[in-house]
Amino acid sequence: MSGLQDKVVIVTGGARGLGAAAAERMARDGARLVITDLLAEEGEKTAAGIDGLFVRHDVTSAEDWQAVVNAAVERYGRIDGLVNNAGIASNSLIENESLEYFEKVLKINLTGVFLGMKSVIGPMKAVGGGSIVNISSAAGLTALPLTSGYGASKWGVRGLTKIAAVELGHYRIRVNSVHPGMTYTPMTAEHGAQVGEGGFPLAALGRVGVPEEIGEAVSFLISDAASYMTGSEVAVDGGWTAGEVVMMQQIPQ
Ligand code: NAD
């Protein structure tokens, strides 16, 4: 039996992209999914494909979070897992970034994660434990230009994850962060990401990742297979943040 069988897992921003791939991966191993997103049509479709529940949800709203928890408990009776995946990107230099957009990114990417963790602690304590995966980024491990709000939010998610891990360990609630590198999704396709060998020379593996490769790591961390992991930061980035890939490319082979 898989370490995911019958676990009830909420995935935010699960209508498409990384969230949808993680949800589909966990459903294959027997988990029951609650997909949440602002995008109702895509969310309903993704949820229907895995026999899951869709709830329209803005991760910045405490009231919406309460509705998600209520819907999950009403349908499945419990909550075992949460993947805080919803997020938006930023793409400006600090000197050009507006205060409004900077604050918007923090609200969705960081406050949304705080609200999510806060909302599931009670239900997870009630069933004797749980697992939370917060989706940070390579931009939460190293300084990427053009990512002021995004990078700050993702560094924040990395730190908040460790605080939660320390606070919640004694309830047997594990909390880990996943740090995807450049992965082909609607978010990065907009900025020109392309799948295929040689498509991303900044990563040691030389290519952009696909959502399923991130979904594997998320699924593992939610499952009981990761029972001794908490407070970890798991890079799934093709080696982008591992070290001096550019220097390596300058050495004659
Ligand atoms: P995506 O845009 O395809 O999916 C993100 C989803 O979040 C969308 O469906 C969107 O509607 C939803 N969302 C946005 N704001 C929301 C809100 N306020 N409430 C609820 N849902 C909301 O992007 P993706 O590439 O799949 O990204 C998923 C996560 O992975 C994000 O947190 C992103 O920062 C992170 N990430 C992605 C990459 C990458 O290369 N794709 C790399 C590192 C980290």
Side-chain angles (χ1 to χ4, degrees), residues 76-122:
Y76 297 120
R78 56 187 294 135
I79 296 171
D80 303 285
L82 168 65
V83 182
N84 275 313
N85 163 80
I88 60 170
S90 60
N91 193 32
S92 292
L93 295 171
I94 292 172
E95 62 181 325
N96 300 330
E97 188 63 281
S98 71
L99 172 63
E100 290 70 28
Y101 194 72
F102 181 82
E103 289 184 337
K104 179 179 177 177
V105 176
L106 286 183
K107 197 159 183 200
I108 295 172
N109 293 9
L110 181 57
T111 308
V113 170
F114 164 78
L115 285 175
M117 293 200 291
K118 198 170 160 62
S119 304
V120 299
I121 291 169

Side-chain angles (χ1 to χ4, degrees), residues 15 21 32 36 38 57 74 98-99 107 109 147 149-150 163 165-166 177 179-180 196 198 203 218 228 239 241 252:
R32 290 171 292 176
T36 86
L38 287 173
H57 175 209
E74 193 175 309
S98 71
L99 172 63
K107 197 159 183 200
N109 293 9
T147 70
Y150 185 78
I163 294 164
V166 172
S177 57
H179 300 256
V218 172
Y228 201 52
T241 59

Side-chain angles (χ1 to χ4, degrees), residues 16 18 37 57-59 85 136 150 154 180-181 183 185 187-188:
R16 66 183 198 188
L18 300 187
D37 208 295
H57 175 209
D58 179 346
V59 294
N85 163 80
S136 176
Y150 185 78
K154 296 302 187 179
T183 312
T185 67
M187 182 189 274
T188 54

Side-chain angles (χ1 to χ4, degrees), residues 4 12 34 37 55 74 76 113 121 125 137 150-151 159 164 195 201 226 242:
L4 280 165
T12 71
V34 179
D37 208 295
V55 183
E74 193 175 309
Y76 297 120
V113 170
I121 291 169
K125 277 163 77 172
S137 171
Y150 185 78
V195 179

Side-chain angles (χ1 to χ4, degrees), residues 50-224:
I50 55 176
D51 201 18
L53 174 67
F54 173 73
V55 183
R56 190 175 182 283
H57 175 209
D58 179 346
V59 294
T60 67
S61 159
E63 294 75 39
D64 276 14
W65 270 108
Q66 194 53 55
V68 168
V69 165
N70 292 347
V73 172
E74 193 175 309
R75 166 75 77 96
Y76 297 120
R78 56 187 294 135
I79 296 171
D80 303 285
L82 168 65
V83 182
N84 275 313
N85 163 80
I88 60 170
S90 60
N91 193 32
S92 292
L93 295 171
I94 292 172
E95 62 181 325
N96 300 330
E97 188 63 281
S98 71
L99 172 63
E100 290 70 28
Y101 194 72
F102 181 82
E103 289 184 337
K104 179 179 177 177
V105 176
L106 286 183
K107 197 159 183 200
I108 295 172
N109 293 9
L110 181 57
T111 308
V113 170
F114 164 78
L115 285 175
M117 293 200 291
K118 198 170 160 62
S119 304
V120 299
I121 291 169
M124 286 184 176
K125 277 163 77 172
V127 296
S131 175
I132 299 171
V133 173
N134 295 327
I135 305 299
S136 176
S137 171
L141 293 171
T142 190
L144 299 181
L146 299 169
T147 70
S148 57
Y150 185 78
S153 72
K154 296 302 187 179
W155 279 78
V157 166
R158 178 185 178 196
L160 191 56
T161 298
K162 293 184 197 299
I163 294 164
V166 172
E167 288 188 2
L168 300 175
H170 65 122
Y171 297 127
R172 288 198 273 166
I173 299 173
R174 299 182 295 101
V175 194
N176 295 285
S177 57
V178 165
H179 300 256
M182 187 63 75
T183 312
Y184 187 78
T185 67
M187 182 189 274
T188 54
E190 257 176 43
H191 297 286
Q194 282 183 2
V195 179
E197 292 306 319
F200 192 58
L202 294 178
L205 295 181
R207 64 173 175 84
V208 160
V210 292
E212 291 70 22
E213 292 175 304
I214 316 301
E216 287 293 338
V218 172
S219 168
F220 167 71
L221 288 169
I222 290 288
S223 83
D224 294 335

